[in-house]
Amino acid sequence: LEPAQTITLDFEISYQYKGFGNSPSNNFLTYNGTFLNNQVFPSIGYQSLGELDADGVRKEYGLQPRQRFPLIDDKKALENNALSSDADWINFEVTLGTAADQIAVAPGYLQKEWKKGNRRYFHYKMDKPILNFYSILSARYAVKKDVWTSKEGKKVNLEIYYHPTHSYNLERMMEGMKKSLSYCSANFSPYQYRQMRILEFPRYAGFAQSFANTVPYSESLGFLADVDDKKDVDFVLYVTAHEVG
């Protein structure tokens, strides 16, 4: 494509499981608690991350050892950010369809919500470019809301999307968001968005991951944590503050 030229790419993707494998199948698509990211969609151009990287395996195929990192003066490598090689900053907009009793969430601000038949739809759009790195979540969520206000008076809407019975660490998470926003705004730069959201996903994995104004957070890592304030480090607060940072 020439500079400023555009083209439309239409594609369909389906994931289907047949039987039971010897190892766990992909678990990002679930009845209640789907969490997937941009890696399930097509990438544009050659993807070096798809290369064989084990030297022993490469040798079996007659390949030279893979260069682990580009040279410091490799100008071509400087064209890529740390997260993807097919796009830099993107204008992000998405319409999601999910079950009628679930809430679907992606980075950006909710533009519209509606129901059609037995499906529920959400339209999100970012107001500024983001990295080509985004998440999509859907579950039967309850939502806790609060507001953080900067010293300059900027208000940021805070939301936690959680399983209705997993409410006992929500205040720790709210405090972690507020403390991180206060510290980082004072020491680095003003927060660039108008909202921050934490979203619970099932304990098939035990991590939290930060996307633009959206942080998927494992059920097992924070929502089910039993923190003893008298003797334990409040890792729920710290993990939350880390992801917001």
Side-chain angles (χ1 to χ4, degrees):
L1 296 177
E2 296 296 326
Q5 186 180 2
T6 63
I7 193 171
T8 300
L9 171 64
D10 296 315
F11 58 90
E12 294 182 3
I13 293 178
S14 67
Y15 284 88
Q16 186 177 16
Y17 304 122
K18 297 181 179 180
F20 299 89
N22 292 328
S23 59
S25 300
N26 290 325
N27 47 41
F28 51 78
L29 197 62
T30 65
Y31 285 103
N32 182 24
T34 287
F35 167 31
L36 51 89
N37 62 31
N38 56 291
Q39 293 181 351
V40 304
F41 301 121
S43 296
I44 308 300
Y46 183 77
Q47 303 298 309
S48 60
L49 292 177
E51 295 177 353
L52 297 173
D53 57 4
D55 288 345
V57 176
R58 293 180 63 86
K59 186 177 181 180
E60 292 178 5
Y61 287 91
L63 300 172
Q64 294 296 318
R66 188 171 185 265
Q67 183 174 326
R68 298 304 176 186
F69 293 97
L71 299 176
I72 195 169
D73 58 352
D74 186 343
K75 294 183 179 180
K76 189 65 178 178
L78 294 175
E79 296 178 0
N80 297 328
N81 62 59
L83 299 177
S84 67
S85 60
D86 59 346
D88 195 2
W89 297 89
I90 63 172
N91 298 315
F92 182 77
E93 183 174 3
V94 63
T95 298
L96 306 174
T98 189
D101 61 346
Q102 296 192 17
I103 300 175
V105 185
Y109 305 96
L110 184 62
Q111 307 294 305
K112 184 181 178 182
E113 175 188 341
W114 69 97
K115 287 187 177 181
K116 183 177 180 181
N118 63 345
R119 303 287 291 173
R120 190 176 181 184
Y121 294 89
F122 300 83
H123 175 200
Y124 293 96
K125 184 177 182 180
M126 283 297 300
D127 60 350
K128 59 186 66 178
I130 64 173
L131 288 174
N132 186 32
F133 186 59
Y134 51 86
S135 58
I136 294 172
L137 294 96
S138 179
R140 292 190 287 273
Y141 285 123
V143 185
K144 181 178 178 61
K145 299 182 179 182
D146 205 340
V147 176
W148 172 80
T149 304
S150 70
K151 290 184 178 180
E152 296 74 27
K154 176 182 177 180
K155 294 185 181 299
V156 176
N157 295 319
L158 307 179
E159 296 178 343
I160 302 176
Y161 292 73
Y162 63 99
H163 189 291
T165 63
H166 298 171
S167 59
Y168 33 88
N169 282 323
L170 300 185
E171 291 302 329
R172 300 180 192 275
M173 293 180 176
M174 280 294 184
E175 185 180 4
M177 283 196 281
K178 292 178 180 179
K179 286 188 172 182
S180 188
L181 287 169
S182 297
Y183 180 87
C184 293
S185 296
N187 291 277
F188 302 111
S189 70
Y191 182 62
Q192 66 267 49
Y193 305 118
R194 305 191 307 273
Q195 66 183 12
M196 170 53 70
R197 296 163 298 174
I198 290 176
L199 300 105
E200 182 178 6
F201 68 90
R203 55 193 177 116
Y204 297 123
F207 64 87
Q209 189 172 23
S210 183
F211 298 84
N213 69 30
T214 306
V215 176
Y217 202 129
S218 173
E219 169 188 21
S220 62
L221 179 62
F223 286 89
L224 298 183
D226 183 11
V227 179
D228 187 336
D229 290 323
K230 294 182 179 180
K231 63 179 181 179
D232 294 337
V233 171
D234 190 351
F235 72 88
V236 176
L237 182 147
Y238 289 136
V239 170
T240 302
H242 166 82
E243 296 302 327
V244 175

